[in-house]
Amino acid sequence: SIARKGVAGAGARAVAWLDPDCEFPACGCEYVEALRRPLHPATKVMSVASRQDPIVAPSACRAPGAEHVEVDGTHSGLAHNRAVYPHLARFLAAR
């Protein structure tokens, strides 16, 4: 098997450790099936990206029909990034 690296690899190793029989994403479990379903047409989406993110390129964050926001910061830092919250507040308030 191919050695997996980074965050995705850590996630795969955690799943293998917690459930060695899991064949995610080919398992067909309820969670995977829910992820595969399209969003309801009325669902609004905002994507947040950073050019400094070494894990996910900003271009990979562009969901069709989403409002796109770009801020400075790291991948794991986006959840704590003060620059994100004014965009998030405005987005939620408009809904």
Side-chain angles (χ1 to χ4, degrees):
S1 90
I2 297 172
R4 296 180 181 183
K5 297 180 181 180
V7 173
R13 289 188 300 276
V15 168
W17 181 69
L18 294 170
D19 186 356
D21 298 323
C22 179
E23 296 178 10
F24 178 85
C27 59
C29 71
E30 190 175 323
Y31 174 71
V32 171
E33 294 308 312
L35 288 175
R36 289 184 175 142
R37 280 195 294 274
L39 295 174
H40 187 278
T43 302
K44 304 296 181 196
V45 177
M46 181 177 80
S47 65
V48 179
S50 169
R51 289 189 190 278
Q52 293 84 25
D53 187 339
I55 298 171
V56 179
S59 60
C61 299
R62 292 193 156 285
E67 177 181 330
H68 305 289
V69 174
E70 191 169 301
V71 297
D72 290 333
T74 63
H75 181 81
S76 58
L78 287 176
H80 309 283
N81 188 328
R82 290 181 183 190
V84 173
Y85 288 93
H87 297 287
L88 184 57
R90 179 194 39 75
F91 180 81
L92 293 173
R95 305 304 176 247

